[in-house]
Amino acid sequence: MRIIDNVNDLLGDDLKREVKAGSKLRIAASTFSIFAFEALRKELERVEELEFIFTAPSFVPSSATDRLAKEWREFFIPPARIGESSLYGSEFEIRLRNKLTQRAIARECADWVRRKVKFRSNKTGAPMQQFAIVDDRAMYQPLQGFTSADLGYERGNAVSNMVTKLEVGEAPMTGQYVALFDQIWDNPDQLDDVTQAVYDHLASVYAENSPQRIYFLILYNLFAEFLEDISEDVLPNDLTGYQDTGIWKALYNFQRDAATGIINKLETYNGAILADSVGLGKTFTALAVIKYYELRNKSVLVLAPKKLAENWTNYNANLTTNIFAADRFNYDVLAHTDLLRTRGTSMGIPLDRVNWGNYDLVVIDESHNFRNADFTTEKETRYQRLMRQVIRAGVKTKVLMLSATPVNNHFTDLRNQLALAYEGDSAQLAGKLNISTSVEEVFRQAQRVFNEWSKLPAEERTPEAILSGLDFDFFELLDAVTIARSRKHIQAFYDTTDIGAFPQRLPPESVRSPLTDLGGVPSFSDMFASLSSLTLAVYAPLNYVFASRREKYEVLYGNLERGRNAMGGVVSNLGQASREKGIQKLMTVNLLKRLESSVEAFRLTLTKLENSVESAIGSIEKHAATVADLGSALGDLDADDDDLELPSFSVGGKVKIDLADMDVESCDLPRSSRTVGPLKMRVLLKVRPTCPCRVGDSLKNSKTSCAVR
């Protein structure tokens, strides 16, 4: 008996010495590699016969219980067993595989197998000893496999790889192993003949494969892990018949892919953001998703800006302009601002009777309008109302968000929108993702990287620079819950024969038209200066409280401890006076937005403002009210407009200041009235009040302006 340590004395070298012309080899091992054949090619060509037993089931048909359902077979490439995958190189023969000589070796090995080798496989799955016998003269055991690593020519993963050799003088023991091998070899209940299967596998290595097969094999190896994780439960159910609907048939190929992906994300993560570029048909894609859920008897709500509501109401009504009338859409449509209303009707729906918690799917058009989740305010915002009354209340609600610009200024914008999908509990989403930290931390780190990148010199501020800085967790998160494609992406990865070429975008042309061509009307700059001069004193009452009385109101309404004041309200870290200054600036911006919206909207808002100021002056002169009553008239200035960002809390009803504590003589309300009145007279009385034009629209020539002649 001799020990072969496979360090100083190699098993392969010993086999070369023992194998003679006409020898018969018997091998029982778990694997067989063409590189072992290559290492012993000269000796193996001289043997008379090789009988090889795979000690574990290899190259045998799967049992009936292992077979895939018929409908799945065409999408599945079964993973090879260890014995089969090692046939053309094990994981420890990477150096040999990298030489790219497998095809030549496999061709020669296949020819040798056809002439001299028989393979059988242990079909029982029961453990079996592994050994090799050369004639009746030498026996080697234990063997791990018949690979170049087991022969000692390549490094394996075993700490030690010693093999015991029984030689000629120990013939009785060698004979017992020969008898054992022959007994197993001749038992059809234990072994299956797999010679042809092995030969076919070898032939496939050197066969000329079609480009299509290579392509599919590459796809499988790239996405095998994803395919293993995918569940039928999160894929669109074809039995609903959604593919037979008019909206589905109207979609282009890239829109169908988006709809399928959205359904998968909604079922997996409860929410998704479709952020395709403008003009790629997000509305139609969303309609296909809506129809899918309607066919599953789900209730759907669409929240859209009021100015875009007709984009949606056109398809759920019996109108001649409804090209999908046959699909009979049944979703509800409400405006974003309806979330803050409790009376009246909107789109024909009575708001006081809306069952907000009964919607299975909420589609939010222009979802970036819900990017601010300020939970430090006392007055409930529409974001908070959506979260509380629609998402969290009632049935489990899925959220589909549509926005070409989900991130406006900060990554927090995207985080807040995604929070609607996981009901504000980020652990729900993080538990379904392969990320190493929390969702909040992912966005925090991404924002830090972006801030650092934005400070780089222009020549260093490249897409590659920021992409290399972002963590993998950020891409994992975006890939899970967002679909964002550009026109270039569609042109690069989709067949655009049906679509045709996208229109070429012309370079922007700046057109600066005046509000009107009539004389005596101030320019935009003049109006901005006039609006900027407004003090809006009614929104900053603390500026006019006597210094000796100011502490009283800071105690009542300021930030005393942990973001709360003496009245129990939730406030930010700023004092009340600081917040009032912010409100003044915000309301000035809102007035400019009203001017941008339309002349008519600007007229209505200025009229309300003027009336409120006059009312406040009258109250002060009569000493008939508190300052809380003075601000109440401005609490609902055109609140239905999505662009109008009213303060999250108003003075009226929240901050009450006794007029006895105010220096009413220095109050600027009269000056505000003197500013608003002339401005309205100079501009608005000369411009047609019912004009539908938007000031922000580009007027191509002054003859099309809305001035009265």
Side-chain angles (χ1 to χ4, degrees), residues 17-39:
R17 291 190 292 268
E18 291 291 343
V19 174
K20 311 293 184 184
S23 292
K24 180 177 181 179
L25 287 179
R26 299 176 177 87
I27 300 176
S30 60
T31 56
F32 175 90
S33 168
I34 60 174
F35 293 110
F37 163 78
E38 172 67 10

Side-chain angles (χ1 to χ4, degrees), residues 367-532:
S367 64
H368 53 265
N369 288 321
F370 289 87
R371 65 185 180 274
N372 297 319
D374 189 358
F375 289 94
T376 64
T377 61
E378 296 180 2
K379 184 177 179 180
E380 188 176 49
T381 64
R382 62 189 178 195
Y383 181 98
Q384 295 165 359
R385 179 84 180 276
L386 175 63
M387 179 71 80
R388 176 182 64 83
Q389 199 163 353
V390 183
I391 307 299
R392 289 175 175 167
V395 300
K396 185 72 172 178
T397 303
K398 304 181 188 302
V399 184
L400 169 59
M401 291 157 277
L402 312 177
S403 176
T405 56
V407 178
N408 285 44
N409 303 309
H410 199 280
F411 281 119
T412 306
D413 299 344
L414 181 58
R415 187 197 68 191
N416 290 339
Q417 292 170 71
L418 289 178
L420 294 171
Y422 52 75
E423 301 182 3
D425 181 11
S426 62
Q428 291 185 22
L429 180 60
K432 299 176 183 179
L433 299 174
N434 184 25
I435 56 177
S436 58
T437 184
S438 65
V439 172
E440 290 80 7
E441 185 60 26
V442 169
F443 281 111
R444 193 177 299 115
Q445 292 178 5
Q447 187 62 45
R448 176 184 55 79
V449 171
F450 176 80
N451 293 342
E452 294 174 353
W453 174 82
S454 62
K455 297 176 183 177
L456 294 174
E459 61 274 9
E460 299 179 22
R461 203 163 52 246
T462 61
E464 292 77 10
I466 190 171
L467 289 175
S468 62
L470 290 170
D471 190 75
F472 177 79
D473 288 345
F474 181 71
F475 297 106
E476 168 78 8
L477 177 59
L478 290 188
D479 183 62
V481 295
T482 65
I483 295 177
R485 301 167 300 177
S486 64
R487 294 185 180 190
K488 288 184 178 180
H489 177 98
I490 303 303
Q491 291 171 325
F493 297 103
Y494 287 91
D495 180 3
T496 58
T497 304
D498 294 336
I499 306 171
F502 286 110
Q504 292 292 326
R505 290 183 178 178
L506 299 176
E509 180 181 354
S510 298
V511 178
R512 294 180 174 87
S513 296
L515 175 61
T516 177
D517 55 3
L518 291 179
V521 178
S523 65
F524 287 110
S525 298
D526 294 334
M527 283 186 282
F528 174 73
S530 298
L531 292 177
S532 299

